[in-house]
PDB file of all heavy atoms in Angstrom:
ATOM      1  N   THR A 128      27.632 115.834  68.946  1.00 57.00           N
ATOM      2  CA  THR A 128      28.550 116.625  68.147  1.00 57.00           C
ATOM      3  C   THR A 128      28.118 116.570  66.700  1.00 57.00           C
ATOM      4  O   THR A 128      27.455 115.619  66.284  1.00 57.00           O
ATOM      5  CB  THR A 128      29.994 116.106  68.271  1.00 57.00           C
ATOM      6  OG1 THR A 128      30.843 116.944  67.481  1.00 57.00           O
ATOM      7  CG2 THR A 128      30.126 114.686  67.791  1.00 57.00           C
ATOM      8  N   ASN A 129      28.466 117.584  65.935  1.00 74.00           N
ATOM      9  CA  ASN A 129      28.217 117.569  64.503  1.00 74.00           C
ATOM     10  C   ASN A 129      29.511 117.369  63.739  1.00 74.00           C
ATOM     11  O   ASN A 129      29.622 117.749  62.584  1.00 74.00           O
ATOM     12  CB  ASN A 129      27.527 118.868  64.057  1.00 74.00           C
ATOM     13  CG  ASN A 129      26.027 118.806  64.284  1.00 74.00           C
ATOM     14  OD1 ASN A 129      25.435 117.732  64.290  1.00 74.00           O
ATOM     15  ND2 ASN A 129      25.411 119.952  64.469  1.00 74.00           N
ATOM     16  N   LEU A 130      30.484 116.783  64.391  1.00 78.00           N
ATOM     17  CA  LEU A 130      31.715 116.406  63.725  1.00 78.00           C
ATOM     18  C   LEU A 130      31.560 114.992  63.187  1.00 78.00           C
ATOM     19  O   LEU A 130      31.161 114.086  63.907  1.00 78.00           O
ATOM     20  CB  LEU A 130      32.888 116.455  64.707  1.00 78.00           C
ATOM     21  CG  LEU A 130      34.238 115.972  64.172  1.00 78.00           C
ATOM     22  CD1 LEU A 130      34.763 116.964  63.146  1.00 78.00           C
ATOM     23  CD2 LEU A 130      35.226 115.798  65.308  1.00 78.00           C
ATOM     24  N   ARG A 131      31.865 114.816  61.907  1.00 82.00           N
ATOM     25  CA  ARG A 131      31.781 113.502  61.279  1.00 82.00           C
ATOM     26  C   ARG A 131      33.116 113.176  60.614  1.00 82.00           C
ATOM     27  O   ARG A 131      33.804 114.068  60.142  1.00 82.00           O
ATOM     28  CB  ARG A 131      30.649 113.474  60.239  1.00 82.00           C
ATOM     29  CG  ARG A 131      29.275 113.763  60.829  1.00 82.00           C
ATOM     30  CD  ARG A 131      28.816 112.620  61.725  1.00 82.00           C
ATOM     31  NE  ARG A 131      27.504 112.857  62.296  1.00 82.00           N
ATOM     32  CZ  ARG A 131      27.277 113.135  63.569  1.00 82.00           C
ATOM     33  NH1 ARG A 131      28.303 113.247  64.405  1.00 82.00           N
ATOM     34  NH2 ARG A 131      26.060 113.316  64.017  1.00 82.00           N
ATOM     35  N   ILE A 132      33.458 111.905  60.558  1.00 81.00           N
ATOM     36  CA  ILE A 132      34.727 111.487  59.972  1.00 81.00           C
ATOM     37  C   ILE A 132      34.478 110.720  58.684  1.00 81.00           C
ATOM     38  O   ILE A 132      33.652 109.807  58.632  1.00 81.00           O
ATOM     39  CB  ILE A 132      35.521 110.610  60.945  1.00 81.00           C
ATOM     40  CG1 ILE A 132      35.972 111.430  62.157  1.00 81.00           C
ATOM     41  CG2 ILE A 132      36.743 110.008  60.253  1.00 81.00           C
ATOM     42  CD1 ILE A 132      36.693 110.630  63.214  1.00 81.00           C
ATOM     43  N   ALA A 133      35.198 111.120  57.637  1.00 85.00           N
ATOM     44  CA  ALA A 133      35.198 110.384  56.374  1.00 85.00           C
ATOM     45  C   ALA A 133      36.634 109.943  56.126  1.00 85.00           C
ATOM     46  O   ALA A 133      37.535 110.776  56.050  1.00 85.00           O
ATOM     47  CB  ALA A 133      34.708 111.273  55.230  1.00 85.00           C
ATOM     48  N   TRP A 134      36.859 108.644  56.022  1.00 84.00           N
ATOM     49  CA  TRP A 134      38.223 108.142  55.872  1.00 84.00           C
ATOM     50  C   TRP A 134      38.652 108.202  54.412  1.00 84.00           C
ATOM     51  O   TRP A 134      37.918 107.809  53.524  1.00 84.00           O
ATOM     52  CB  TRP A 134      38.328 106.708  56.381  1.00 84.00           C
ATOM     53  CG  TRP A 134      38.018 106.584  57.843  1.00 84.00           C
ATOM     54  CD1 TRP A 134      36.907 106.036  58.398  1.00 84.00           C
ATOM     55  CD2 TRP A 134      38.824 107.051  58.932  1.00 84.00           C
ATOM     56  NE1 TRP A 134      36.968 106.126  59.773  1.00 84.00           N
ATOM     57  CE2 TRP A 134      38.128 106.745  60.128  1.00 84.00           C
ATOM     58  CE3 TRP A 134      40.063 107.703  59.017  1.00 84.00           C
ATOM     59  CZ2 TRP A 134      38.619 107.050  61.387  1.00 84.00           C
ATOM     60  CZ3 TRP A 134      40.560 108.016  60.268  1.00 84.00           C
ATOM     61  CH2 TRP A 134      39.853 107.686  61.437  1.00 84.00           C
ATOM     62  N   LEU A 135      39.858 108.699  54.187  1.00 89.00           N
ATOM     63  CA  LEU A 135      40.404 108.725  52.837  1.00 89.00           C
ATOM     64  C   LEU A 135      40.606 107.294  52.348  1.00 89.00           C
ATOM     65  O   LEU A 135      40.874 106.396  53.148  1.00 89.00           O
ATOM     66  CB  LEU A 135      41.735 109.481  52.812  1.00 89.00           C
ATOM     67  CG  LEU A 135      41.667 110.982  53.110  1.00 89.00           C
ATOM     68  CD1 LEU A 135      43.075 111.565  53.172  1.00 89.00           C
ATOM     69  CD2 LEU A 135      40.848 111.708  52.050  1.00 89.00           C
ATOM     70  N   PRO A 136      40.468 107.056  51.045  1.00 86.00           N
ATOM     71  CA  PRO A 136      40.597 105.694  50.503  1.00 86.00           C
ATOM     72  C   PRO A 136      41.915 105.030  50.884  1.00 86.00           C
ATOM     73  O   PRO A 136      42.983 105.631  50.773  1.00 86.00           O
ATOM     74  CB  PRO A 136      40.523 105.925  48.979  1.00 86.00           C
ATOM     75  CG  PRO A 136      39.767 107.200  48.821  1.00 86.00           C
ATOM     76  CD  PRO A 136      40.166 108.057  49.999  1.00 86.00           C
ATOM     77  N   GLY A 137      41.816 103.785  51.384  1.00 79.00           N
ATOM     78  CA  GLY A 137      43.008 103.007  51.691  1.00 79.00           C
ATOM     79  C   GLY A 137      43.735 103.391  52.964  1.00 79.00           C
ATOM     80  O   GLY A 137      44.832 102.895  53.220  1.00 79.00           O
ATOM     81  N   GLN A 138      43.131 104.266  53.788  1.00 69.00           N
ATOM     82  CA  GLN A 138      43.806 104.722  55.012  1.00 69.00           C
ATOM     83  C   GLN A 138      43.359 103.848  56.183  1.00 69.00           C
ATOM     84  O   GLN A 138      42.344 104.109  56.814  1.00 69.00           O
ATOM     85  CB  GLN A 138      43.477 106.192  55.276  1.00 69.00           C
ATOM     86  CG  GLN A 138      43.879 107.114  54.149  1.00 69.00           C
ATOM     87  CD  GLN A 138      45.381 107.302  54.070  1.00 69.00           C
ATOM     88  OE1 GLN A 138      46.089 107.144  55.044  1.00 69.00           O
ATOM     89  NE2 GLN A 138      45.866 107.649  52.892  1.00 69.00           N
ATOM     90  N   GLU A 139      44.116 102.807  56.489  1.00 58.00           N
ATOM     91  CA  GLU A 139      43.707 101.842  57.516  1.00 58.00           C
ATOM     92  C   GLU A 139      44.759 101.627  58.595  1.00 58.00           C
ATOM     93  O   GLU A 139      44.820 100.579  59.202  1.00 58.00           O
ATOM     94  CB  GLU A 139      43.365 100.503  56.851  1.00 58.00           C
ATOM     95  CG  GLU A 139      42.177 100.573  55.906  1.00 58.00           C
ATOM     96  CD  GLU A 139      40.894 100.968  56.618  1.00 58.00           C
ATOM     97  OE1 GLU A 139      40.769 100.682  57.830  1.00 58.00           O
ATOM     98  OE2 GLU A 139      40.024 101.563  55.969  1.00 58.00           O
ATOM     99  N   ASN A 140      45.643 102.592  58.800  1.00 62.00           N
ATOM    100  CA  ASN A 140      46.702 102.449  59.800  1.00 62.00           C
ATOM    101  C   ASN A 140      46.157 102.824  61.180  1.00 62.00           C
ATOM    102  O   ASN A 140      46.349 103.923  61.671  1.00 62.00           O
ATOM    103  CB  ASN A 140      47.889 103.340  59.442  1.00 62.00           C
ATOM    104  CG  ASN A 140      49.108 103.044  60.305  1.00 62.00           C
ATOM    105  OD1 ASN A 140      48.987 102.469  61.368  1.00 62.00           O
ATOM    106  ND2 ASN A 140      50.269 103.457  59.821  1.00 62.00           N
ATOM    107  N   ARG A 141      45.467 101.901  61.812  1.00 66.00           N
ATOM    108  CA  ARG A 141      44.771 102.197  63.067  1.00 66.00           C
ATOM    109  C   ARG A 141      45.730 102.492  64.225  1.00 66.00           C
ATOM    110  O   ARG A 141      45.433 103.323  65.076  1.00 66.00           O
ATOM    111  CB  ARG A 141      43.826 101.048  63.428  1.00 66.00           C
ATOM    112  CG  ARG A 141      42.719 100.859  62.391  1.00 66.00           C
ATOM    113  CD  ARG A 141      41.705  99.820  62.817  1.00 66.00           C
ATOM    114  NE  ARG A 141      40.697  99.650  61.794  1.00 66.00           N
ATOM    115  CZ  ARG A 141      39.644 100.444  61.636  1.00 66.00           C
ATOM    116  NH1 ARG A 141      39.482 101.465  62.458  1.00 66.00           N
ATOM    117  NH2 ARG A 141      38.765 100.226  60.685  1.00 66.00           N
ATOM    118  N   SER A 142      46.861 101.800  64.289  1.00 70.00           N
ATOM    119  CA  SER A 142      47.791 102.033  65.398  1.00 70.00           C
ATOM    120  C   SER A 142      48.366 103.439  65.324  1.00 70.00           C
ATOM    121  O   SER A 142      48.526 104.114  66.354  1.00 70.00           O
ATOM    122  CB  SER A 142      48.919 101.002  65.373  1.00 70.00           C
ATOM    123  OG  SER A 142      49.668 101.097  64.165  1.00 70.00           O
ATOM    124  N   ALA A 143      48.652 103.919  64.108  1.00 65.00           N
ATOM    125  CA  ALA A 143      49.165 105.275  63.955  1.00 65.00           C
ATOM    126  C   ALA A 143      48.101 106.293  64.337  1.00 65.00           C
ATOM    127  O   ALA A 143      48.389 107.310  64.966  1.00 65.00           O
ATOM    128  CB  ALA A 143      49.632 105.511  62.516  1.00 65.00           C
ATOM    129  N   ARG A 144      46.845 106.023  63.974  1.00 68.00           N
ATOM    130  CA  ARG A 144      45.751 106.933  64.343  1.00 68.00           C
ATOM    131  C   ARG A 144      45.644 107.038  65.856  1.00 68.00           C
ATOM    132  O   ARG A 144      45.448 108.120  66.410  1.00 68.00           O
ATOM    133  CB  ARG A 144      44.421 106.424  63.762  1.00 68.00           C
ATOM    134  CG  ARG A 144      44.264 106.643  62.281  1.00 68.00           C
ATOM    135  CD  ARG A 144      42.803 106.691  61.904  1.00 68.00           C
ATOM    136  NE  ARG A 144      42.073 105.494  62.264  1.00 68.00           N
ATOM    137  CZ  ARG A 144      41.821 104.490  61.448  1.00 68.00           C
ATOM    138  NH1 ARG A 144      42.288 104.517  60.216  1.00 68.00           N
ATOM    139  NH2 ARG A 144      41.125 103.449  61.835  1.00 68.00           N
TER     140      ARG A 144
END
Side-chain angles (χ1 to χ4, degrees):
T128 181
N129 277 333
L130 175 70
R131 300 291 180 251
I132 293 177
W134 298 108
L135 293 175
Q138 301 287 335
E139 296 298 332
N140 190 340
R141 297 186 181 278
S142 61
R144 285 205 302 263

